[in-house]
Amino acid sequence: MSSEGRIPAIEGAHLLQSLRASDFDIPSAIGELIDNSIQADAKTVNIKVKDVVAGTHKKYKLIQEIVCADDGYGMDATPGSTLHSCIKLGYSTRFNNRDGIGRFGVGMTLAGIRFATKIEVYSKQKGKKWNYIIFDLNNDEDINEGIAPPVEKEPPAEYLTLVGKSEGTLVIWSGFDKFAEQDLHATTYSDGFEAPDSLDPYGYLNHWIGRTYRKFIWQGVKINLNDQEVYSFDPLFISKQKNQFPEDPKAKIIFEKEIDWNVSHNGKKGGSETSKIKIKISLLPEFYRENISKGGLQFKGRYIEENQGISILRSDREVYYDEIPYFGEGRVKKLNWEDKDRWWGCEISFTPELDEHFTVKNIKRGAVPAKELKIALYSLIKPVRDACIEQVQAHWARVKANQERGKFETGTDIKTTHATAETLAKTTKIPEKPKAGKNLTPAEQENRLENLTRELDETDAQKWRVKFESQPFTIMDGHWKGDTFIDMNYLEGKAILQYNLNHVFFEEMSNIRKQLQNMDDPTKAVKLAQKLHELIDILLMSFVRARQGFDEDSEYSVKQIMEYTVRDWGRYLHTYTRAYEKEHLFEEDV
């Protein structure tokens, strides 16, 4: 066939500008870099995101450079080789390969030019030197004449420690120019939590990477983001391996199944070749579900509110995490996603042979099952989902019943002799906010509650828990061996003081009370004994409140601890005693 009169099918410069309007966001773009590192058998992947402060009135951070460095096997640097061609759109040593997480050969470059104008790649193979290529959208030669051959060049000194010593690859994206894009604001990827839950300045990006590549992290791949190791995150809450909150309880696997599905070739079905789809469903622990109204939001860093959907993995790499739209057998018979769907987790895993059935895109985002497969998955998942929701609602009914019962157990059912001091602590304003117990994880707080009530039966334990929650300061009488006469526990915003009634101090106190009660004027004696008892409460309560002013995560010298404790103990004792005197101002002297 003659080539006369033909024109190029592609207008290179215009096409490149058009391709910059792809669907990549910053996390999925960085994901393309991590994919390449994992495909190169990297054991360590280092991501760096550099930003600058921008804005005149309202300040925000603008991403300036993204770097990915690894210790995987490097690329051949001869002209026309892998390194020379790696930026070329459509080039891939693994094009249409169904064995790994790559396939199309457009990821790294398409992701890079989505935001940046310059892509630089350094690569080194074992026993060879570093080589370098560059592609710059602002360089007419690169656009019109093509990518220059690799040259020998060492990576910048600041990044040499991030790559492997004997082999590795370094990719640098720079020249970010789409300043109006929300995706270029570094603040978009902060999690906004407080320590110790926060992983900022890129906490949410850390979370996204940890969830997307969780299986690889479990297999030993170490990923660092701005020198901070990325934690794995399992949206099924089953695995706590390399997780930020390993002490949290694990979810239960309530359903597992593998199904065989016919493989399509170029959109055509037929033949006997099949591939397996794995389905796993979990029910989140009751630990997260106690507070009906908060919906898990109190558990910072667990992202329970995002768990309203399904995680789909392709070759162990997550390619979708959201509600599946129109998930059902038609417009009427479908799953209507609700807030309570966050309490069960679902993971669907498949291999690349089934890409057509999961409508996988070239940017590995938005993989959703095709119609026939969607119906098959729905028929398996929907009954399990309904059973999970029933369990969640049944648990909430029990919680609500306990809360209703607890309305009558906020102290009236627990008769102690410490009510005056506890009421004083509740009504007396102390300007300083307590620090001790502020940074407890939910699991640590639960562990302290269990230790406080472990000697009690279930009914009494529940009553005391309600009492702890209802007031800032609680005093308990206890009995234990040893020389300690009090014990202190701190929860978030709460303090619990325990008296060891086996201690000689309290035995003597008890003797004094008995002697006073045997005085000639029993009325005065009883009042005096009670007043003495209340003042002792105030004395020790003041000490515990002074201790509550110390941040448990900070370091103090012994001298500082003693000085601050004595100072604050006296200050709080003065405040509480004055308040006590006002309470008893018009009482008769005893």
Side-chain angles (χ1 to χ4, degrees), residues 537-557:
D537 281 344
I538 292 169
L539 171 70
L540 295 174
M541 184 173 71
S542 301
F543 170 79
V544 177
R545 186 62 183 84
R547 166 64 181 84
Q548 198 174 10
F550 287 90
D551 190 333
E552 292 179 331
D553 295 328
S554 299
E555 294 183 359
Y556 301 89
S557 67

Side-chain angles (χ1 to χ4, degrees), residues 36-45 69-73 220-222:
N36 288 343
S37 296
I38 290 174
Q39 289 277 85
D41 290 336
K43 298 297 181 286
T44 302
V45 183
D70 67 48
D71 59 358
Y73 56 77
V221 177
K222 183 178 181 181

Side-chain angles (χ1 to χ4, degrees), residues 157-356:
E158 62 180 312
Y159 299 136
L160 267 176
T161 58
L162 302 180
V163 292
K165 291 183 179 180
S166 60
E167 59 183 344
T169 298
L170 171 70
V171 180
I172 303 173
W173 292 342
S174 60
F176 286 75
D177 62 346
K178 296 190 177 183
F179 300 114
E181 299 265 0
Q182 180 71 9
D183 277 323
L184 288 180
H185 297 176
T187 45
T188 305
Y189 298 101
S190 66
D191 55 36
F193 305 144
E194 294 182 357
D197 302 320
S198 178
L199 297 175
D200 276 344
Y202 288 92
Y204 186 76
L205 182 57
N206 188 311
H207 163 69
W208 183 91
I209 295 171
R211 193 190 70 230
T212 302
Y213 296 96
R214 58 187 182 269
K215 298 288 181 83
F216 297 97
I217 294 174
W218 298 341
Q219 293 164 18
V221 177
K222 183 178 181 181
I223 304 175
N224 299 310
L225 174 61
N226 283 19
D227 302 319
Q228 182 171 249
E229 186 170 0
V230 172
Y231 291 107
S232 74
F233 182 87
D234 180 10
L236 272 66
F237 292 81
I238 295 169
S239 174
K240 297 298 176 182
Q241 185 180 354
K242 296 190 176 180
N243 181 265
Q244 185 183 359
F245 306 101
E247 72 281 0
D248 280 11
K250 296 180 181 180
K252 294 179 181 178
I253 300 175
I254 57 173
F255 179 84
E256 277 189 286
K257 189 175 180 65
E258 289 186 356
I259 61 173
D260 292 313
W261 201 258
N262 280 102
V263 174
S264 297
H265 295 284
N266 297 321
K268 296 180 180 179
K269 299 179 183 178
S272 58
E273 185 181 356
T274 63
S275 184
K276 291 191 180 298
I277 299 173
K278 299 178 182 179
I279 306 164
K280 186 184 294 183
I281 299 176
S282 67
L283 179 64
L284 271 63
E286 292 181 355
F287 170 75
Y288 297 125
R289 299 187 267 124
E290 292 298 327
N291 194 314
I292 301 171
S293 61
K294 290 189 177 181
L297 293 173
Q298 71 272 37
F299 296 101
K300 306 299 183 184
R302 280 74 164 185
Y303 294 91
I304 293 172
E305 69 278 10
E306 284 190 359
N307 204 45
Q308 195 170 308
I310 291 176
S311 173
I312 300 179
L313 277 66
R314 175 185 183 269
S315 291
D316 287 340
R317 194 261 204 210
E318 188 178 81
V319 291
Y320 186 83
Y321 182 61
D322 204 346
E323 300 173 5
I324 294 180
Y326 306 106
F327 190 40
E329 299 176 2
R331 292 187 176 182
V332 177
K333 196 174 182 181
K334 64 179 181 179
L335 196 157
N336 295 312
W337 299 93
E338 304 176 54
D339 286 348
K340 51 194 169 191
D341 284 303
R342 69 185 60 181
W343 302 116
W344 61 281
C346 180
E347 177 183 281
I348 299 173
S349 303
F350 71 98
T351 55
E353 292 91 349
L354 297 176
D355 277 353
E356 281 81 2

Side-chain angles (χ1 to χ4, degrees), residues 17 47 83 130 146 154 200 249 312 338 373 395 462 494 506 519 584:
Q17 291 300 326
I47 303 294
L83 178 59
W130 283 99
E154 287 268 323
D200 276 344
I312 300 179
E338 304 176 54
L373 177 57
H395 174 67
Q462 174 64 21
K494 315 289 181 185
F506 289 111
M519 289 177 65
H584 297 271

Side-chain angles (χ1 to χ4, degrees), residues 113-137:
I113 65 173
R114 168 68 178 88
F115 303 106
T117 57
K118 184 188 292 185
I119 300 175
E120 299 171 87
V121 183
Y122 298 80
S123 196
K124 182 182 188 303
Q125 293 182 312
K126 281 185 177 179
K128 297 183 180 180
K129 294 183 178 181
W130 283 99
N131 282 273
Y132 167 80
I133 60 166
I134 181 173
F135 178 72
D136 191 342
L137 285 173

Side-chain angles (χ1 to χ4, degrees), residues 38 42 93 194 267 278 332 335 368 378 445 496 499 512 550:
I38 290 174
T93 58
E194 294 182 357
K278 299 178 182 179
V332 177
L335 196 157
V368 175
Y378 170 82
Q445 179 138 320
I496 294 98
Y499 292 164
I512 292 172
F550 287 90

Side-chain angles (χ1 to χ4, degrees), residues 464-478:
W464 277 102
R465 282 173 175 257
V466 173
K467 188 177 179 72
F468 297 150
E469 183 63 30
S470 68
Q471 55 192 30
F473 205 105
T474 301
I475 301 174
M476 297 179 73
D477 290 332

